[in-house]
Amino acid sequence: MSVALVFSILDFAGIFFFAATGGILSARKQLDPFGAAVIGAVTGMGGGTVRDIVLGRLPVYWVESPEYLAVAVAGGIIGYYGSEIVRGEIGARRAAMIWADAIGLSVFCVIGAQAGLSVGAHWSIAMLTGVMSAAFGGLLRDVILNDVPLILRAEIYALAALFGAGLYVLAVALGLGEGTAAIAGALGAFVIRGCAIRFGWSIPTIGKLD
Amino acid sequence: MSVALVFSILDFAGIFFFAATGGILSARKQLDPFGAAVIGAVTGMGGGTVRDIVLGRLPVYWVESPEYLAVAVAGGIIGYYGSEIVRGEIGARRAAMIWADAIGLSVFCVIGAQAGLSVGAHWSIAMLTGVMSAAFGGLLRDVILNDVPLILRAEIYALAALFGAGLYVLAVALGLGEGTAAIAGALGAFVIRGCAIRFGWSIPTIGKLD
Amino acid sequence: MSVALVFSILDFAGIFFFAATGGILSARKQLDPFGAAVIGAVTGMGGGTVRDIVLGRLPVYWVESPEYLAVAVAGGIIGYYGSEIVRGEIGARRAAMIWADAIGLSVFCVIGAQAGLSVGAHWSIAMLTGVMSAAFGGLLRDVILNDVPLILRAEIYALAALFGAGLYVLAVALGLGEGTAAIAGALGAFVIRGCAIRFGWSIPTIGKLD
């Protein structure tokens, strides 16, 4: 597979799964289907939008390529009506949302890091744009819908994105080729986040202060 | 009226009425007048700011034209102290806010769509920038002031903006002239949103899932 | 001291202290240390990021200068683990956070106003970019962490930033030299905000409406 194809697949996958989480949460909050499409678009395209803005790549990526919007709206609507299928099973919907979010996170940390490197930024900044791309779409979703942001929850979240972005940057620095590096980074982030979800991995916090 | 004049009037009207909603909500939340001016500016200018950023039209529109800020601050302050007049009548203030928001929504969906078309974007993207312009100012207002975003409420909201933006894009495509198209789009959005408020129009939602 | 040095010191100080407030709040909300670093970066660099975006200075300032990220992460981590030292003393942590926020506010209102003037904006717009730079980082922090935004609290907050930005713009207009003007503006904002914290200064609000 060509490098461009790898990134394209990752990008569309990330947008679709993130948008689906927006649709699922919209169903839980009883928005109407149009609201779900809007929240799907915001969740799926929000992270990449912020990434493009801070890097000065304007107009942002989706302005000239309407297919991104189509994928995001589809993701939002599928997440919304898909929630109907598991009506009454809050656990199943919760799981679908958490895992779709994990896929989006894993993919976008790599794409964000690649975008940072592509404008010649320092590796630490590429890791930051990776984490931003991965975290911002979901953050917008949770803030708009008044849900507790995933970053506030117990298990490893931002660190998984940081790990994936770091793995990608390292692999590129080691000369592994961007396509391989991208797959390695996304898998790495997914494994960390997946274990965090499955086994409740977390980092020791400072604990209750009062 | 020239096309430029039509858009100028719509733009200032949208900023003023959105800013007024920020002032009304600031009064309800008992902010001080400077807070109300800040929230008024954010609400009135937020949607257009996000629109200009994603389209790469920088610096954003108000940087070189201080009169926009003046109108937004005036709207915020008028909304704030105007709330005094209907002290004790929560219904009257609620109505003033909902209807001023409807005017802002109707006007900005058209202006955002026009901005999208002006950079050569696809019609679907122009509709998206229309909805974004219409929804983002109010969203920032509600998120900052910890109020339930209007988009989460029962009646048709995002769809009204989508309808207005779509009507504008369609009318332009049919060769109606931008000024006429703008007025048609804004009126269309206002009628939909107005009926939704007045008659409680809503789209069937997926219903309670648990 | 050269003007560039003055602004550099103010900038890093503002980022550090704002980032520290992010770390302190992250500790209170029991995030893990990586979450604290992320929130520290968002709080420390958020205001300047929004400032650069609306002014069209892209990529934003931290993309080409990783030392800003380093300072922000350090501030976040120090605020986080520093909270351990005053475990059990909610008053001490609250005070540390409020005063660090006051330093960030005072410094950033001047830096934001300078950025506005540097692109040739009207003085009123420079005051707005000053207030935005000062207020947005803390606003992002509070919105993400579900805390009541400081701008919603009783004492003078936005007005202090407006005062500092105005003092800077006025001093520059009077020909005082940018370095002196910057120090005057930052001190002015700090005195107003400090008195507001210490003596509970506030502006008469419209009062309870219902």
Side-chain angles (χ1 to χ4, degrees), chain C residues 2 15 21 50 65 84 112 130 133 136 140 147 153 169 171 196 202 210:
Chain C
S2 78
I15 291 171
T21 68
V50 174
S65 308
E84 182 89 82
S133 303
F136 252 86
L140 285 170
D147 213 46
R153 303 255 170 77
V169 169
S202 64
D210 297 303

Side-chain angles (χ1 to χ4, degrees), chain B residues 52-201:
Chain B
D52 279 3
I53 291 170
V54 298
L55 293 175
R57 307 200 303 182
L58 299 176
V60 300
Y61 71 101
W62 45 263
V63 168
E64 272 149 29
S65 309
E67 59 272 21
Y68 290 109
L69 175 60
V71 169
V73 168
I77 294 296
I78 289 172
Y80 183 79
Y81 285 111
S83 298
E84 183 89 82
I85 302 171
V86 285
R87 175 181 292 276
E89 295 169 55
I90 192 169
R93 280 181 288 114
R94 189 90 207 125
M97 184 170 151
I98 288 283
W99 285 100
D101 186 273
I103 295 173
L105 179 88
S106 307
V107 164
F108 275 180
C109 67
V110 164
I111 290 184
Q114 192 272 339
L117 291 184
S118 78
V119 301
H122 190 257
W123 59 264
S124 65
I125 300 302
M127 288 172 67
L128 177 63
T129 54
V131 175
M132 281 178 63
S133 303
F136 252 87
L139 198 54
L140 285 170
R141 172 197 65 208
D142 295 339
V143 165
I144 294 174
L145 295 187
N146 262 331
D147 213 47
V148 183
L150 280 176
I151 203 177
L152 287 182
R153 303 252 171 78
E155 328 94 34
I156 287 169
Y157 189 82
L159 182 58
L162 191 72
F163 179 78
L167 203 59
Y168 171 78
V169 168
L170 183 68
V172 169
L174 294 176
L176 247 75
E178 286 191 52
T180 315
I183 292 168
L187 279 180
F190 189 76
V191 167
I192 300 286
R193 176 69 185 138
C195 288
I197 296 171
R198 191 70 189 72
F199 307 116
W201 282 7

Side-chain angles (χ1 to χ4, degrees), chain A residues 54 125 152 206 208-210, chain C residues 31 59-60 80 87-88 93 145:
Chain A
V54 298
I125 299 303
L152 286 182
I206 198 168
K208 202 105 184 76
L209 287 173
D210 296 302
Chain C
L31 267 66
V60 301
Y80 183 79
R87 175 181 291 278
R93 280 182 288 114
L145 295 186

Side-chain angles (χ1 to χ4, degrees), chain A residues 52-58 119-122 124-125 128-129 131-132 136 139 143 146-149 151-159 162 202-210, chain C residues 24 26-35 38-39 41-42 45 49 53 58-60 62-66 69 80-84 86-90 93 140 143-146:
Chain A
D52 280 2
I53 291 170
V54 298
L55 293 175
R57 307 199 304 181
L58 298 176
V119 300
H122 190 256
S124 63
I125 299 303
L128 178 62
T129 54
V131 174
M132 281 179 62
F136 251 87
L139 198 53
V143 165
N146 262 331
D147 212 45
V148 183
I151 203 176
L152 286 182
R153 303 254 171 77
E155 329 95 34
I156 287 170
Y157 190 82
L159 182 58
L162 190 72
S202 65
I203 307 166
T205 75
I206 198 168
K208 202 105 184 76
L209 287 173
D210 296 302
Chain C
I24 296 171
S26 297
R28 171 140 58 94
K29 301 268 177 177
Q30 298 185 63
L31 267 66
D32 64 43
F34 284 90
V38 170
I39 298 296
V42 168
M45 312 196 309
T49 299
I53 291 170
L58 299 176
V60 301
W62 46 263
V63 168
E64 271 148 30
S65 308
L69 176 59
Y80 183 79
Y81 285 112
S83 298
E84 182 89 82
V86 284
R87 175 181 291 278
E89 295 169 56
I90 193 169
R93 280 182 288 114
L140 285 170
V143 165
I144 295 174
L145 295 186
N146 262 331

